[in-house]
């Protein structure tokens, strides 16, 4: 009869250490996944996310398309937000600047950040933003109003894309959401407004 090999005393410690390292790595990846996904979408136009480029278009193309502008605000953000024009027509490769008007309708400072997309989804790979207010958190004082520009162009490469052949209109859609500062402030106001009993 063969005696079983002695069990290593270090094995449970190694397993525990491996589990801790694995959990820490997954936690780190979960925090990194959102910015990495956003960077991927901005670079590739995946999921209708416009690409970003500060260099400008390579050349003016032949096709003329219409770009419509959609503006929305989440319920918990007391802002009015609208484009100065409903739509523009432009040639591929032509750089265009459009302004959005925004106003804080409340008596307190509020902050928001825009999420955006392009429809139809396949157009996102060819909608290139040169400058946009959506890349940062925006802050408005009580009843403050501003105009924010979006500078963009349609990549002439869309003219060679079969999936874009029958697309004549593209919609750029923004939705502003309250950031943590505004949401926390609103929660605090609601709590203080409740009758004490």
């Amino acid at each position: 009869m063969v005696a079983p090999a002695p069990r290593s005393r270090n094995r449970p410690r190694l397993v525990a250490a491996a589990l801790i390292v694995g959990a820490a790595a997954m936690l780190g990846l979960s925090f990194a996944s959102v910015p990495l996904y956003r960077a991927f979408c901005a670079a590739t136009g995946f999921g209708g996310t416009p690409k970003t480029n500060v260099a400008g278009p390579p050349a003016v193309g032949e096709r003329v398309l219409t770009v419509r502008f959609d503006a929305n605000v989440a319920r918990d953000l007391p802002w009015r937000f609208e484009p100065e024009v409903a739509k523009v027509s432009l040639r591929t490769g032509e750089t265009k600047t459009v302004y959005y008007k925004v106003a804080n309708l409340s008596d307190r400072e509020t902050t928001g950040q825009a999420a955006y997309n392009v429809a139809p989804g396949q157009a996102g790979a060819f909608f290139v933003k040169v400058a946009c207010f959506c890349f940062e958190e925006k802050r408005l004082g009580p009843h403050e109003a501003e105009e924010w520009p979006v500078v963009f162009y349609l990549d002439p490469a869309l003219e060679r894309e079969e999936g874009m052949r029958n697309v004549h209109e593209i919609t750029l859609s923004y939705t502003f959401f309250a950031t943590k500062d505004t949401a926390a402030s609103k929660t605090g106001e609601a709590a203080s407004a409740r009758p004490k009993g």
Side-chain angles (χ1 to χ4, degrees), residues 124-138:
F126 304 102
F127 196 108
V128 185
K129 289 193 201 173
V130 178
C132 179
F133 53 82
C134 54
F135 300 136
E136 58 194 42
E137 181 178 276
K138 302 302 273 184

Side-chain angles (χ1 to χ4, degrees), residues 106-191:
S106 75
D107 295 329
R108 59 187 168 79
E109 184 178 81
T110 54
T111 59
Q113 186 155 10
Y116 55 88
N117 71 343
V118 170
Q122 70 266 29
F126 304 102
F127 196 108
V128 185
K129 289 193 201 173
V130 178
C132 179
F133 53 82
C134 54
F135 300 136
E136 58 194 42
E137 181 178 276
K138 302 302 273 184
R139 186 175 300 274
L140 289 173
H143 302 285
E144 182 179 6
E146 292 187 359
E147 289 189 358
W148 297 332
V150 177
V151 182
F152 68 94
Y153 65 89
L154 301 176
D155 190 332
L158 74 76
E159 295 176 9
R160 299 186 300 275
E161 181 65 32
E162 184 64 34
M164 291 296 294
R165 188 167 304 245
N166 295 319
V167 174
H168 303 288
E169 187 172 282
I170 296 171
T171 300
L172 175 63
S173 181
Y174 288 100
T175 301
F176 256 101
F177 294 94
T179 58
K180 290 179 185 175
D181 291 346
T182 299
S185 169
K186 192 163 185 174
T187 303
E189 284 178 9

